[in-house]
Coordinates of all heavy atoms in Angstrom, one line a residue:
M1 N 20.7 10.0 -9.9 CA 19.9 9.4 -10.9 C 18.6 8.9 -10.3 O 18.5 8.5 -9.1 CB 20.7 8.2 -11.4 CG 20.6 8.2 -12.9 SD 21.6 6.9 -13.8 CE 21.5 5.5 -12.8
A2 N 17.5 9.0 -11.1 CA 16.2 8.6 -10.6 C 16.2 7.1 -10.4 O 16.8 6.4 -11.1 CB 15.1 9.1 -11.6
K3 N 15.4 6.7 -9.5 CA 15.2 5.2 -9.3 C 13.8 5.0 -8.9 O 13.1 5.8 -8.3 CB 16.2 4.6 -8.4 CG 16.1 5.0 -6.9 CD 17.0 4.2 -6.0 CE 16.8 4.5 -4.6 NZ 17.7 3.8 -3.7
Y4 N 13.4 3.7 -9.1 CA 12.0 3.4 -8.7 C 12.0 3.0 -7.2 O 12.7 2.1 -6.8 CB 11.5 2.2 -9.5 CG 10.0 2.0 -9.4 CD1 9.2 2.7 -10.3 CD2 9.4 1.3 -8.4 CE1 7.8 2.6 -10.2 CE2 8.0 1.2 -8.3 CZ 7.2 1.8 -9.2 OH 5.9 1.7 -9.1
C5 N 11.2 3.8 -6.4 CA 11.2 3.5 -5.0 C 10.0 4.2 -4.4 O 9.2 4.9 -5.1 CB 12.5 3.8 -4.3 SG 12.9 5.6 -4.4
E6 N 9.9 4.1 -3.1 CA 8.8 4.8 -2.4 C 9.3 6.2 -2.0 O 10.3 6.4 -1.5 CB 8.4 4.1 -1.1 CG 7.5 2.9 -1.4 CD 7.1 2.2 -0.1 OE1 7.3 2.7 1.0 OE2 6.5 1.1 -0.2
C7 N 8.4 7.2 -2.4 CA 8.8 8.6 -2.1 C 8.9 8.8 -0.6 O 8.1 8.4 0.2 CB 7.6 9.5 -2.6 SG 7.8 11.2 -2.1
G8 N 10.0 9.5 -0.2 CA 10.3 9.8 1.2 C 9.3 10.7 1.9 O 9.3 10.8 3.1
I9 N 8.5 11.3 1.1 CA 7.5 12.2 1.7 C 6.1 11.6 1.7 O 5.4 11.5 2.7 CB 7.5 13.6 1.1 CG1 8.8 14.4 1.5 CG2 6.3 14.5 1.5 CD1 9.0 15.7 0.8
C10 N 5.6 11.3 0.5 CA 4.2 10.8 0.4 C 4.1 9.3 0.4 O 3.0 8.7 0.5 CB 3.5 11.4 -0.8 SG 4.1 10.8 -2.4
G11 N 5.2 8.6 0.2 CA 5.2 7.1 0.2 C 4.7 6.4 -1.0 O 4.6 5.2 -1.1
T12 N 4.5 7.2 -2.1 CA 4.0 6.6 -3.3 C 5.2 5.9 -4.0 O 6.3 6.4 -4.0 CB 3.6 7.7 -4.3 OG1 2.5 8.5 -3.7 CG2 3.0 7.1 -5.6
G13 N 4.9 4.7 -4.5 CA 5.9 3.9 -5.2 C 5.9 4.4 -6.7 O 5.0 4.2 -7.4
T14 N 7.0 5.1 -7.0 CA 7.1 5.6 -8.4 C 8.6 6.0 -8.7 O 9.4 5.7 -7.9 CB 6.2 6.9 -8.5 OG1 6.3 7.4 -9.8 CG2 6.7 8.0 -7.5
W15 N 8.8 6.6 -9.8 CA 10.2 7.0 -10.1 C 10.5 8.2 -9.2 O 9.7 9.2 -9.2 CB 10.3 7.4 -11.5 CG 10.4 6.2 -12.4 CD1 9.4 5.6 -13.0 CD2 11.6 5.3 -12.6 NE1 9.8 4.4 -13.7 CE2 11.1 4.2 -13.4 CE3 12.9 5.4 -12.2 CZ2 12.0 3.2 -13.8 CZ3 13.8 4.4 -12.6 CH2 13.3 3.3 -13.4
C16 N 11.6 8.1 -8.4 CA 11.9 9.2 -7.5 C 13.3 9.8 -7.8 O 14.2 9.1 -8.3 CB 11.9 8.7 -6.1 SG 10.3 8.1 -5.5
E17 N 13.5 11.0 -7.5 CA 14.7 11.7 -7.7 C 15.5 11.9 -6.4 O 14.8 12.1 -5.3 CB 14.4 13.1 -8.3 CG 13.6 13.1 -9.5 CD 13.0 14.5 -9.9 OE1 13.0 15.4 -9.0 OE2 12.6 14.6 -11.0
P18 N 16.8 11.8 -6.4 CA 17.5 12.0 -5.2 C 17.5 13.5 -4.7 O 17.6 14.4 -5.6 CB 19.0 11.6 -5.5 CG 19.1 11.7 -7.0 CD 17.7 11.6 -7.6
H19 N 17.3 13.7 -3.5 CA 17.3 15.0 -2.9 C 18.3 15.0 -1.7 O 18.2 14.2 -0.8 CB 15.9 15.4 -2.4 CG 15.9 16.6 -1.6 ND1 16.1 17.9 -2.2 CD2 15.8 16.8 -0.3 CE1 16.0 18.8 -1.2 NE2 15.9 18.2 0.0
H20 N 19.2 16.0 -1.8 CA 20.2 16.1 -0.7 C 19.5 16.9 0.4 O 19.2 18.1 0.3 CB 21.4 16.8 -1.2 CG 22.2 16.0 -2.2 ND1 21.7 15.9 -3.5 CD2 23.3 15.3 -2.1 CE1 22.6 15.2 -4.2 NE2 23.5 14.8 -3.4
V21 N 19.3 16.2 1.5 CA 18.5 16.8 2.6 C 19.2 18.0 3.2 O 18.6 19.0 3.5 CB 18.3 15.8 3.7 CG1 17.5 16.4 4.9 CG2 17.5 14.6 3.2
F22 N 20.5 18.0 3.2 CA 21.3 19.1 3.7 C 22.2 19.6 2.6 O 23.2 19.0 2.2 CB 22.2 18.7 4.9 CG 21.4 18.0 6.0 CD1 21.5 16.6 6.1 CD2 20.5 18.7 6.7 CE1 20.7 15.9 7.0 CE2 19.7 18.0 7.7 CZ 19.8 16.6 7.8
G23 N 21.7 20.7 2.0 CA 22.4 21.1 0.7 C 23.5 22.1 1.0 O 24.1 22.1 2.1
G24 N 23.8 22.9 0.0 CA 24.9 23.8 0.1 C 26.3 23.1 0.4 O 26.6 22.2 -0.3
T25 N 27.0 23.6 1.4 CA 28.3 23.1 1.7 C 28.2 21.6 2.3 O 29.2 20.9 2.3 CB 29.0 23.9 2.8 OG1 28.2 24.1 3.9 CG2 29.3 25.3 2.2
S26 N 27.0 21.2 2.7 CA 26.8 19.9 3.3 C 26.5 18.9 2.3 O 26.2 17.7 2.6 CB 25.7 19.9 4.4 OG 26.1 20.8 5.4
R27 N 26.4 19.3 1.0 CA 25.9 18.4 0.0 C 26.8 17.1 -0.2 O 26.3 16.0 -0.2 CB 25.9 19.2 -1.4 CG 25.1 18.5 -2.4 CD 25.1 19.3 -3.7 NE 24.7 18.5 -4.8 CZ 23.4 18.5 -5.3 NH1 22.5 19.2 -4.7 NH2 23.1 17.7 -6.3
K28 N 28.1 17.3 -0.2 CA 29.0 16.2 -0.3 C 28.9 15.2 0.8 O 28.9 14.0 0.6 CB 30.5 16.7 -0.4 CG 30.9 17.0 -1.9 CD 32.4 16.6 -2.1 CE 32.6 16.2 -3.5 NZ 32.4 17.3 -4.4
I29 N 28.9 15.8 2.1 CA 28.8 14.9 3.2 C 27.5 14.3 3.3 O 27.3 13.2 3.9 CB 29.3 15.5 4.5 CG1 28.7 16.9 4.7 CG2 30.8 15.6 4.6 CD1 28.9 17.4 6.1
S30 N 26.4 14.9 2.8 CA 25.1 14.3 2.7 C 25.2 13.0 2.0 O 24.6 12.0 2.3 CB 24.1 15.3 2.0 OG 23.7 16.3 2.9
E31 N 25.9 13.1 0.9 CA 26.1 11.9 0.0 C 26.8 10.8 0.8 O 26.5 9.6 0.8 CB 26.8 12.2 -1.3 CG 25.9 12.1 -2.5 CD 26.5 12.9 -3.7 OE1 27.7 12.7 -3.9 OE2 25.8 13.6 -4.3
K32 N 27.9 11.2 1.4 CA 28.8 10.3 2.1 C 28.1 9.6 3.2 O 28.3 8.4 3.4 CB 30.0 11.1 2.6 CG 31.1 10.2 3.3 CD 32.3 11.0 3.5 CE 33.4 10.1 4.3 NZ 34.5 10.9 4.8
Y33 N 27.3 10.3 3.9 CA 26.6 9.6 5.1 C 25.2 9.2 4.9 O 24.4 9.0 5.9 CB 26.8 10.5 6.3 CG 28.2 10.7 6.7 CD1 28.9 11.9 6.6 CD2 28.9 9.6 7.2 CE1 30.2 12.0 6.9 CE2 30.3 9.7 7.6 CZ 30.9 10.9 7.4 OH 32.2 11.1 7.7
G34 N 24.8 9.2 3.7 CA 23.4 8.7 3.4 C 22.3 9.7 3.7 O 21.1 9.2 4.0
A35 N 22.6 11.0 3.8 CA 21.5 12.0 4.0 C 20.9 12.4 2.7 O 20.7 13.6 2.5 CB 22.1 13.1 4.8
V36 N 20.6 11.4 1.9 CA 19.9 11.7 0.6 C 18.6 10.9 0.6 O 18.6 9.7 1.0 CB 20.8 11.2 -0.5 CG1 20.1 11.4 -1.9 CG2 22.1 12.0 -0.6
V37 N 17.5 11.6 0.3 CA 16.2 10.9 0.3 C 15.7 10.9 -1.2 O 16.1 11.8 -2.0 CB 15.2 11.5 1.2 CG1 15.5 11.3 2.6 CG2 15.0 13.0 0.8
Y38 N 14.9 9.9 -1.5 CA 14.3 9.9 -2.8 C 12.9 10.3 -2.8 O 12.1 9.9 -2.0 CB 14.4 8.4 -3.4 CG 15.8 8.2 -3.9 CD1 16.9 7.8 -3.0 CD2 16.1 8.3 -5.3 CE1 18.2 7.6 -3.5 CE2 17.4 8.1 -5.7 CZ 18.4 7.8 -4.8 OH 19.7 7.6 -5.3
L39 N 12.6 11.3 -3.7 CA 11.3 11.9 -3.6 C 10.7 11.9 -5.0 O 11.4 12.0 -6.0 CB 11.4 13.4 -3.2 CG 12.1 13.7 -1.9 CD1 12.2 15.2 -1.7 CD2 11.4 13.1 -0.7
C40 N 9.3 11.7 -5.1 CA 8.6 11.8 -6.3 C 8.7 13.3 -6.8 O 8.9 14.2 -6.0 CB 7.2 11.3 -6.2 SG 6.1 12.4 -5.3
R41 N 8.5 13.4 -8.1 CA 8.6 14.8 -8.6 C 7.8 15.9 -8.0 O 8.3 16.9 -7.6 CB 8.4 14.7 -10.1 CG 8.5 16.1 -10.8 CD 9.0 15.9 -12.2 NE 10.5 15.9 -12.2 CZ 11.2 17.0 -12.5 NH1 10.6 18.2 -12.8 NH2 12.5 16.9 -12.5
P42 N 6.5 15.6 -7.8 CA 5.7 16.7 -7.1 C 6.1 17.0 -5.7 O 6.2 18.2 -5.3 CB 4.2 16.0 -7.1 CG 4.2 15.0 -8.1 CD 5.6 14.5 -8.2
C43 N 6.5 16.0 -4.9 CA 7.0 16.3 -3.6 C 8.3 17.0 -3.6 O 8.6 17.9 -2.8 CB 7.1 15.0 -2.8 SG 5.6 14.3 -2.3
H44 N 9.2 16.6 -4.6 CA 10.5 17.2 -4.7 C 10.3 18.7 -5.0 O 11.0 19.6 -4.4 CB 11.3 16.6 -5.8 CG 12.8 16.8 -5.7 ND1 13.6 16.4 -6.7 CD2 13.5 17.5 -4.8 CE1 14.9 16.8 -6.3 NE2 14.8 17.5 -5.2
E45 N 9.4 19.0 -5.9 CA 9.1 20.4 -6.2 C 8.6 21.2 -5.0 O 9.0 22.3 -4.7 CB 8.2 20.5 -7.4 CG 8.9 20.3 -8.7 CD 7.9 20.2 -9.9 OE1 6.7 20.5 -9.7 OE2 8.4 20.0 -11.0
Q46 N 7.6 20.5 -4.3 CA 7.1 21.2 -3.1 C 8.2 21.5 -2.1 O 8.2 22.5 -1.5 CB 6.1 20.2 -2.4 CG 4.7 20.3 -3.1 CD 4.1 21.6 -2.9 OE1 4.1 22.4 -3.8 NE2 3.6 21.9 -1.7
F47 N 9.1 20.5 -1.9 CA 10.2 20.7 -1.0 C 11.0 22.0 -1.3 O 11.3 22.8 -0.4 CB 11.1 19.5 -0.9 CG 12.1 19.5 0.2 CD1 11.9 18.7 1.3 CD2 13.2 20.4 0.2 CE1 12.7 18.8 2.4 CE2 14.1 20.4 1.3 CZ 13.8 19.6 2.4
H48 N 11.3 22.1 -2.6 CA 12.2 23.3 -2.9 C 11.4 24.6 -2.9 O 11.9 25.6 -2.7 CB 12.8 23.0 -4.3 CG 14.0 22.1 -4.1 ND1 15.2 22.5 -3.7 CD2 14.1 20.7 -4.3 CE1 16.0 21.4 -3.7 NE2 15.3 20.3 -4.0
R49 N 10.1 24.5 -3.1 CA 9.2 25.7 -3.0 C 9.0 26.1 -1.6 O 9.0 27.3 -1.3 CB 7.9 25.4 -3.7 CG 7.4 26.6 -4.5 CD 6.2 26.2 -5.4 NE 6.6 25.3 -6.5 CZ 5.8 24.4 -7.1 NH1 4.6 24.3 -6.7 NH2 6.3 23.8 -8.1
H50 N 8.8 25.1 -0.7 CA 8.5 25.5 0.7 C 9.3 24.6 1.7 O 8.8 23.8 2.4 CB 7.0 25.2 1.0 CG 6.0 25.8 0.1 ND1 5.8 27.1 0.1 CD2 5.3 25.2 -0.9 CE1 4.9 27.4 -0.9 NE2 4.6 26.3 -1.5
P51 N 10.6 24.9 1.7 CA 11.5 24.1 2.5 C 11.1 24.1 4.0 O 11.3 23.1 4.7 CB 12.9 24.7 2.3 CG 12.8 25.6 1.2 CD 11.3 26.0 1.0
S52 N 10.6 25.2 4.4 CA 10.3 25.3 5.9 C 9.1 24.4 6.3 O 8.9 24.1 7.4 CB 9.9 26.8 6.2 OG 8.9 27.2 5.4
A53 N 8.3 23.9 5.3 CA 7.2 23.0 5.6 C 7.7 21.6 5.8 O 7.0 20.7 6.2 CB 6.2 23.1 4.5
F54 N 9.0 21.3 5.5 CA 9.5 20.0 5.5 C 10.7 19.8 6.5 O 11.5 19.0 6.3 CB 9.9 19.5 4.1 CG 8.8 19.5 3.2 CD1 8.6 20.5 2.3 CD2 7.9 18.4 3.2 CE1 7.5 20.5 1.4 CE2 6.8 18.3 2.3 CZ 6.6 19.4 1.4
L55 N 10.6 20.6 7.6 CA 11.7 20.5 8.6 C 11.7 19.1 9.2 O 12.8 18.6 9.6 CB 11.5 21.5 9.7 CG 11.7 23.0 9.2 CD1 11.4 24.0 10.4 CD2 13.1 23.2 8.7
W56 N 10.5 18.5 9.3 CA 10.5 17.1 9.8 C 11.4 16.1 9.1 O 11.9 15.2 9.6 CB 9.0 16.6 9.9 CG 8.4 16.5 8.5 CD1 7.7 17.5 7.9 CD2 8.4 15.4 7.6 NE1 7.3 17.1 6.6 CE2 7.7 15.8 6.4 CE3 9.0 14.1 7.7 CZ2 7.6 14.9 5.3 CZ3 8.8 13.3 6.6 CH2 8.1 13.7 5.4
L57 N 11.5 16.4 7.7 CA 12.3 15.5 6.9 C 13.8 15.6 7.3 O 14.5 14.6 7.3 CB 12.1 15.8 5.4 CG 12.7 14.8 4.5 CD1 12.1 13.4 4.6 CD2 12.6 15.2 3.0
R58 N 14.2 16.8 7.7 CA 15.6 17.1 8.1 C 15.8 16.4 9.5 O 16.8 15.7 9.7 CB 15.9 18.5 8.2 CG 15.8 19.2 6.9 CD 16.3 20.6 6.9 NE 16.2 21.1 5.5 CZ 16.4 22.3 5.1 NH1 16.7 23.2 6.0 NH2 16.3 22.7 3.8
E59 N 14.8 16.6 10.4 CA 14.9 15.9 11.7 C 15.1 14.4 11.5 O 15.9 13.8 12.1 CB 13.7 16.2 12.5 CG 13.6 17.6 13.0 CD 12.2 17.8 13.7 OE1 11.6 16.9 14.2 OE2 11.8 19.0 13.8
K60 N 14.2 13.9 10.7 CA 14.1 12.4 10.6 C 15.4 11.9 10.0 O 16.0 10.9 10.4 CB 13.0 12.1 9.6 CG 12.5 10.7 9.6 CD 11.3 10.5 8.7 CE 11.5 9.2 7.9 NZ 10.5 9.1 6.8
T61 N 16.0 12.7 9.0 CA 17.2 12.2 8.3 C 18.4 12.4 9.3 O 19.3 11.5 9.3 CB 17.4 13.0 7.0 OG1 16.3 12.9 6.2 CG2 18.6 12.5 6.3
Q62 N 18.4 13.4 10.1 CA 19.5 13.6 11.0 C 19.5 12.4 12.0 O 20.6 11.8 12.3 CB 19.4 14.9 11.8 CG 20.5 15.0 12.8 CD 20.5 16.3 13.6 OE1 19.8 17.3 13.2 NE2 21.2 16.4 14.7
A63 N 18.3 12.1 12.5 CA 18.2 11.0 13.4 C 18.6 9.7 12.8 O 19.3 8.9 13.4 CB 16.7 10.9 13.9
K64 N 18.3 9.5 11.6 CA 18.7 8.2 10.9 C 20.2 8.1 10.7 O 20.8 7.1 11.0 CB 18.0 8.2 9.5 CG 18.2 6.9 8.7 CD 17.8 7.1 7.2 CE 19.0 7.5 6.4 NZ 19.2 6.9 5.1
V65 N 20.8 9.2 10.3 CA 22.2 9.2 10.0 C 23.0 9.0 11.4 O 23.9 8.2 11.4 CB 22.7 10.5 9.4 CG1 24.2 10.6 9.4 CG2 22.2 10.6 8.0
M66 N 22.5 9.7 12.4 CA 23.2 9.5 13.7 C 23.1 8.1 14.2 O 24.0 7.5 14.7 CB 22.6 10.5 14.8 CG 23.0 11.9 14.6 SD 22.2 13.1 15.7 CE 22.8 12.5 17.3
F67 N 21.9 7.5 14.0 CA 21.7 6.1 14.4 C 22.6 5.2 13.6 O 23.3 4.3 14.2 CB 20.2 5.7 14.2 CG 19.9 4.3 14.5 CD1 19.8 3.9 15.9 CD2 19.8 3.4 13.5 CE1 19.5 2.6 16.2 CE2 19.5 2.0 13.8 CZ 19.4 1.6 15.2
E68 N 22.6 5.3 12.3 CA 23.4 4.4 11.4 C 24.9 4.5 11.7 O 25.6 3.6 11.6 CB 23.0 4.7 10.0 CG 21.7 4.2 9.5 CD 21.3 4.6 8.1 OE1 22.1 5.2 7.4 OE2 20.2 4.2 7.7
Q69 N 25.3 5.8 12.0 CA 26.8 6.0 12.2 C 27.1 5.7 13.6 O 28.3 5.7 13.9 CB 27.1 7.4 11.8 CG 26.8 7.8 10.3 CD 27.6 7.0 9.3 OE1 28.7 6.6 9.6 NE2 27.0 6.8 8.2
G70 N 26.1 5.6 14.5 CA 26.4 5.5 15.9 C 27.0 6.8 16.5 O 27.8 6.8 17.4
W71 N 26.5 7.9 16.0 CA 27.1 9.2 16.4 C 26.3 9.8 17.6 O 25.1 9.6 17.7 CB 26.9 10.2 15.2 CG 27.9 10.1 14.1 CD1 29.0 9.3 14.1 CD2 27.9 10.8 12.9 NE1 29.6 9.4 12.9 CE2 29.0 10.4 12.2 CE3 27.0 11.8 12.3 CZ2 29.3 10.9 10.9 CZ3 27.3 12.3 11.1 CH2 28.4 11.8 10.4
T72 N 27.1 10.6 18.4 CA 26.5 11.4 19.4 C 26.2 12.8 18.6 O 26.6 13.0 17.5 CB 27.4 11.7 20.5 OG1 28.6 12.4 20.0 CG2 27.9 10.5 21.2
L73 N 25.5 13.7 19.4 CA 25.2 15.0 18.8 C 26.5 15.7 18.4 O 26.6 16.4 17.4 CB 24.3 15.8 19.7 CG 23.7 17.0 19.1 CD1 22.9 16.7 17.8 CD2 22.8 17.7 20.1
D74 N 27.5 15.5 19.3 CA 28.8 16.2 19.0 C 29.4 15.7 17.7 O 29.9 16.5 16.9 CB 29.8 15.9 20.1 CG 29.5 16.8 21.4 OD1 28.8 17.7 21.2 OD2 30.1 16.4 22.4
D75 N 29.3 14.4 17.5 CA 29.8 13.8 16.2 C 29.1 14.4 15.0 O 29.7 14.8 14.0 CB 29.6 12.3 16.2 CG 30.5 11.6 17.3 OD1 31.6 12.1 17.5 OD2 30.0 10.6 17.8
W76 N 27.8 14.5 15.2 CA 26.9 15.1 14.1 C 27.4 16.5 13.8 O 27.6 16.9 12.7 CB 25.5 15.1 14.5 CG 24.6 15.9 13.6 CD1 24.3 17.2 13.8 CD2 24.0 15.5 12.4 NE1 23.5 17.7 12.7 CE2 23.4 16.6 11.8 CE3 24.0 14.3 11.7 CZ2 22.7 16.6 10.6 CZ3 23.4 14.3 10.4 CH2 22.7 15.4 9.9
M77 N 27.6 17.3 14.9 CA 27.9 18.7 14.7 C 29.3 18.9 14.0 O 29.5 19.8 13.3 CB 27.9 19.4 16.1 CG 26.5 19.6 16.7 SD 25.4 20.6 15.6 CE 26.1 22.2 16.0
E78 N 30.2 17.9 14.3 CA 31.5 18.0 13.7 C 31.4 17.9 12.2 O 32.2 18.5 11.5 CB 32.3 16.8 14.2 CG 33.6 17.2 15.0 CD 34.2 16.0 15.6 OE1 34.7 15.2 14.9 OE2 34.3 15.9 16.9
H79 N 30.4 17.1 11.7 CA 30.3 16.9 10.3 C 29.4 17.8 9.6 O 29.7 18.3 8.5 CB 29.9 15.4 10.0 CG 30.9 14.4 10.4 ND1 31.0 13.9 11.7 CD2 31.8 13.8 9.7 CE1 32.0 13.0 11.7 NE2 32.5 12.9 10.5
F80 N 28.3 18.1 10.3 CA 27.2 18.9 9.6 C 27.1 20.3 10.1 O 26.4 21.2 9.5 CB 25.9 18.2 9.6 CG 25.8 17.0 8.7 CD1 26.2 15.7 9.1 CD2 25.3 17.2 7.4 CE1 26.2 14.7 8.2 CE2 25.2 16.1 6.5 CZ 25.6 14.8 7.0
N81 N 27.7 20.6 11.3 CA 27.7 22.0 11.8 C 26.4 22.6 12.2 O 26.3 23.8 12.5 CB 28.4 22.9 10.8 CG 29.9 22.9 11.0 OD1 30.3 22.9 12.1 ND2 30.6 22.8 9.9
K82 N 25.3 21.9 12.0 CA 24.0 22.5 12.4 C 23.1 21.4 12.9 O 23.0 20.3 12.3 CB 23.4 23.1 11.1 CG 22.3 24.1 11.5 CD 21.9 24.9 10.3 CE 20.6 25.6 10.6 NZ 19.9 26.2 9.5
N83 N 22.4 21.7 14.0 CA 21.5 20.7 14.6 C 20.1 20.9 14.2 O 19.6 22.0 14.3 CB 21.7 20.8 16.1 CG 20.8 19.8 16.8 OD1 20.4 18.7 16.3 ND2 20.4 20.1 18.1
Y84 N 19.5 19.9 13.7 CA 18.1 20.0 13.2 C 17.1 19.3 14.1 O 15.9 19.3 13.9 CB 17.9 19.4 11.8 CG 18.8 20.1 10.8 CD1 20.1 19.7 10.5 CD2 18.3 21.3 10.1 CE1 20.9 20.3 9.6 CE2 19.1 21.9 9.2 CZ 20.4 21.4 8.9 OH 21.2 22.1 8.0
L85 N 17.6 18.7 15.2 CA 16.7 18.0 16.1 C 16.0 18.9 17.1 O 16.6 19.9 17.5 CB 17.5 16.9 16.9 CG 18.0 15.7 16.0 CD1 18.7 14.7 16.9 CD2 16.8 15.1 15.3
Ligands
ZN1 ZN1 5.9 12.1 -3.1
ZN2 ZN1 16.1 18.5 -4.1

């Protein structure tokens, strides 16, 4: 559901949509471990159009989740199976 917050890419305070940083099979665990960012509509569209331009967002989110969960890289790999750092 959309909520009012700062966009995770451009920082604009507006209505933002949830975006699962690690999609596909990782979508469910993205939700479970907080790997969901809120993006304004233009940034969200940009992300899906040019995912390779936003690798930094994946790096940042992986680092955030590992920090919050107190995970090592091995713990991360156990859950997400792919390293973005
Ligand atoms: Zn934005
Ligand atoms: Zn999305």
Side-chain angles (χ1 to χ4, degrees):
M1 228 174 38
K3 68 172 184 181
Y4 196 90
C5 61
E6 282 180 10
C7 170
I9 289 177
C10 70
T12 304
T14 183
W15 285 97
C16 295
E17 303 165 344
H19 168 74
H20 295 75
V21 180
F22 310 104
T25 54
S26 297
R27 197 178 162 94
K28 268 217 152 63
I29 47 171
S30 283
E31 250 163 46
K32 185 168 176 191
Y33 295 110
V36 176
V37 291
Y38 281 81
L39 306 177
C40 72
R41 178 145 276 260
C43 288
H44 199 185
E45 280 174 5
Q46 278 297 101
F47 190 104
H48 284 277
R49 215 169 292 154
H50 308 287
S52 56
F54 295 100
L55 292 177
W56 61 270
L57 190 64
R58 295 186 180 174
E59 287 175 23
K60 197 177 137 189
T61 305
Q62 178 179 344
K64 184 192 93 136
V65 171
M66 285 175 66
F67 177 78
E68 285 176 359
Q69 302 294 330
W71 282 354
T72 63
L73 193 54
D74 284 345
D75 295 324
W76 168 267
M77 291 299 284
E78 243 174 63
H79 292 84
F80 284 87
N81 274 316
K82 198 170 166 195
N83 180 25
Y84 300 91
L85 291 180

